[in-house]
Amino acid sequence: MGSRVGVVGAGYVGLTSAACLAHLGHHVVCVDNDRHKIAELRAGTVSIVEPGLPELVREGLAENRLVFTSDPGALHDCELVLLCLPTPMGTGGTADLGVIEEALKTLSTVLSPDCVLVTKSTVPVGTTARIPTRAGLAGTAVISNPEFLREGHAVEDFLRPDRVLVGAAEDDREPADRVAALYAGTGAPVLRSDSASAELAKYASNAFLAVKLSFVNTLAELCEQVGADITKVTDAMGRDDRIGPAFLAPGPGWGGSCLPKDTRALLRAAEAWGVDFAMVRDALRANDRQQAMVLRKIRHAVTGAVDGSLSGTRIGVLGLTFKAGTGDLRDSPAVAVARQLSRHEATVTAYDPCVPAGTPGLDGIRVVDDPYLVAKDSGALVILTEWPEFRSLDWAELATVVDRPVIVDTRNLLDEHLLSGTGFTVLGTGTAASVEGGPI
């Protein structure tokens, strides 16, 4: 028989956790103060783009193992309650815990005495240990259980994780066992630690991935200068078991809801404790520089000069989300580049399979629902997100409607065979031929 579990927050992490725990046989109550969202979820409507998640939500509802409500009182009978709330970047790069602190005020009045409170939210080191005394929850066991979910693969990562990390004080061994038991159906190894180590492991994991991405983007820049091919270089690197092939693909920069804020939070924590984490700082700087590099490449491709004017030039953008497989625009390098193009007076038309026309917050970027409209009269097409379906477009037809048959492929998504005979010139990332006329 499964546990009675409460999940606070029906966002990306919360909804995935609630649906997957229900699938594993637990009885889950998911609480969120957004009544409109709760009404949609009760009807089985999931707005988050995540493979398999809508099906799991509907399964949980149909089998009466998943309940959605805006009433925190529904958590009273829960044996464990998971905090899955946002911790956005605050002043100076530190995590803003305002939403969590407000939730804790309410939870202190509704949780049963033997309930285990679980922090899945990404929080600064030491937060889990401080919650009982600062939130009026003295006597409540608080366990750190950070999530390691990739957008676009969140359901897969939850149900088949490579590890489950449980951080607890030495005298909270029994509550920690109860948290670990939630994942018994996954067969994943459970790692035990103190709560500070668990909290830091989450920040360290994301920051390390950010460093790896900045490394490969800078390496791609070097490849362009010396006449090497980044795909050949990273293929050789990735076959080394100590390195691995993941996160070795260059692009317009890294973004999303986690890597930017978590990397900055780790850097601020290091600075607060007098640790010079220079490589993390440099990774952030390299990421900012990467978007400027992409802009220079586009300007060079269109005008022949890195500082050439884009005024009045139509630029077609393919991809706006921060990566394929998600509808998330938060801290998207694709959006950042598109906005830069608009600021340089280009006329920007964009298409993304998960970004509908009229999406708010994209001033200066015209979003259309047809990739062929993006190409019409464009002075260049720019691929900014690695959506696989872009490879299936009729590139011969696209070539007939563009003003200038040039593609700046920041993701190296296309290949010569795919575009053979279309007349397109493809400028990729990390090769001597990445920019017309040679290195910039």
Side-chain angles (χ1 to χ4, degrees), residues 237-263:
M237 292 172 60
R239 292 173 187 270
D240 187 326
D241 289 341
R242 298 168 299 175
I243 299 173
F247 283 74
L248 284 183
W254 42 268
S257 63
C258 294
L259 260 62
K261 76 177 183 67
D262 291 354
T263 302

Side-chain angles (χ1 to χ4, degrees), residues 175-391:
D177 289 341
R178 291 164 63 186
V179 174
L182 291 176
Y183 303 91
T186 68
V190 176
L191 309 181
R192 304 295 187 108
S193 74
D194 56 277
S195 60
S197 295
E199 292 163 337
L200 185 56
K202 174 57 190 289
Y203 281 118
S205 295
N206 278 348
F208 185 82
L209 295 176
V211 169
K212 194 173 182 182
L213 287 168
S214 283
F215 177 91
V216 77
N217 281 334
T218 305
L219 185 64
E221 182 183 352
L222 178 60
C223 285
E224 293 180 3
Q225 299 300 318
V226 303
D229 185 331
I230 188 64
T231 60
K232 305 295 186 184
V233 174
T234 54
D235 180 48
M237 292 172 60
R239 292 173 187 270
D240 187 326
D241 289 341
R242 298 168 299 175
I243 299 173
F247 283 74
L248 284 183
W254 42 268
S257 63
C258 294
L259 260 62
K261 76 177 183 67
D262 291 354
T263 302
R264 286 184 171 84
L266 179 65
L267 182 60
R268 295 297 172 261
E271 291 172 345
W273 287 94
V275 176
D276 183 12
F277 222 146
M279 67 185 70
V280 173
R281 182 169 57 249
D282 289 344
L284 287 163
R285 290 173 177 169
N287 198 46
D288 291 337
R289 188 176 69 248
Q290 187 66 12
Q291 294 166 18
M293 282 290 298
V294 171
L295 179 63
R296 291 174 62 206
K297 183 175 292 186
I298 296 169
R299 294 173 76 176
H300 190 273
V302 173
T303 71
V306 296
D307 57 354
S309 173
L310 294 176
S311 180
T313 302
R314 288 181 59 83
I315 303 292
V317 167
L318 291 171
L320 288 171
T321 56
F322 84 94
K323 70 172 186 176
T326 176
D328 202 339
L329 296 172
R330 288 175 290 181
D331 269 313
S332 170
V335 171
V337 170
R339 283 176 172 156
Q340 284 292 326
L341 291 169
S342 178
R343 291 189 188 107
H344 283 79
E345 301 183 322
T347 300
V348 181
T349 305
Y351 168 79
D352 188 290
C354 281
V355 181
T359 296
L362 294 173
D363 296 342
I365 305 169
R366 177 185 172 225
V367 181
V368 296
D369 57 7
D370 185 342
Y372 296 90
L373 293 177
V374 165
K376 184 175 174 54
D377 299 326
S378 67
L381 292 174
V382 184
I383 297 177
L384 293 173
T385 309
E386 71 283 18
W387 286 102
E389 46 261 60
F390 291 161
R391 291 178 52 84

